[in-house]
Amino acid sequence: GGLMGGMVGNTIGNLAARVTDQGRGFLKGVKMLLMKRESKCAKLVDDILEQRPGTESNDSFLYFDPKSIQLGAEAPRMRTPFRQALVFVVGGGSYVESQALQELAQKGGKQIVYGSTDIVSPQEFMDELAQLGDAQQGGLLR
């Protein structure tokens, strides 16, 4: 029993070590993918805060100035950069967007507040996808 138990334990230990090493490699790959990818939300906020003329993100958004005396009309655009922003996402927000905006704020000396109607962790997101897949397999979604 001792020799066989030692061999089984050693095999399980080797298998666990390989799975752990592969898991670490996978997580490094995911981290690199996330770090290299620029957040579109952060790019959009940066363009608007810096008032970069000619950028689609800056020119296509409505601009409201609470200090403007024109009620009901779009205020004339200021071309000076902003130092503060409130970013609110209707729908699903993410920790990656939040982190990218925090980095943008720190890098540029700005104050950015981020909010969303729903922020889910990666595990919660995968759980939601699994539920949708189960529902589709069961014929609930067609």
Side-chain angles (χ1 to χ4, degrees):
L3 179 62
M4 187 62 135
M7 288 175 57
V8 170
N10 196 19
T11 302
I12 291 174
N14 288 339
L15 179 62
R18 281 196 292 175
V19 168
T20 302
D21 288 343
Q22 288 177 352
R24 283 189 189 126
F26 175 74
L27 291 177
K28 277 186 181 180
V30 169
K31 183 177 179 183
M32 292 300 292
L33 177 67
L34 291 176
M35 291 181 75
K36 288 182 180 179
R37 187 168 224 182
E38 183 176 308
S39 166
K40 290 191 186 284
C41 181
K43 171 107 175 76
L44 174 78
V45 170
D46 189 36
D47 285 348
I48 292 172
L49 286 175
E50 293 300 324
Q51 292 293 303
R52 291 189 184 99
T55 58
E56 179 185 341
S57 57
N58 193 22
D59 294 340
S60 65
F61 279 83
L62 292 177
Y63 176 83
F64 298 102
D65 185 353
K67 296 177 185 174
S68 175
I69 55 174
Q70 297 176 345
L71 297 177
E74 186 174 345
R77 290 190 182 265
M78 296 175 62
R79 291 297 175 190
T80 58
F82 295 101
R83 309 288 300 155
Q84 298 175 330
L86 171 64
V87 179
F88 192 84
V89 178
V90 177
S94 73
Y95 293 108
V96 173
E97 279 180 349
S98 177
Q99 182 64 34
L101 289 170
Q102 285 178 355
E103 289 171 8
L104 174 66
Q106 289 173 352
K107 179 178 71 174
K110 297 178 177 19
Q111 182 180 4
I112 301 173
V113 177
Y114 177 76
S116 176
T117 54
D118 188 27
I119 296 180
V120 295
S121 71
Q123 182 61 49
E124 291 169 331
F125 179 71
M126 295 303 292
D127 291 344
E128 288 177 8
L129 287 178
Q131 288 174 354
L132 286 173
D134 290 345
Q136 190 173 18
Q137 294 296 326
L140 297 176
L141 297 174
R142 290 185 188 234

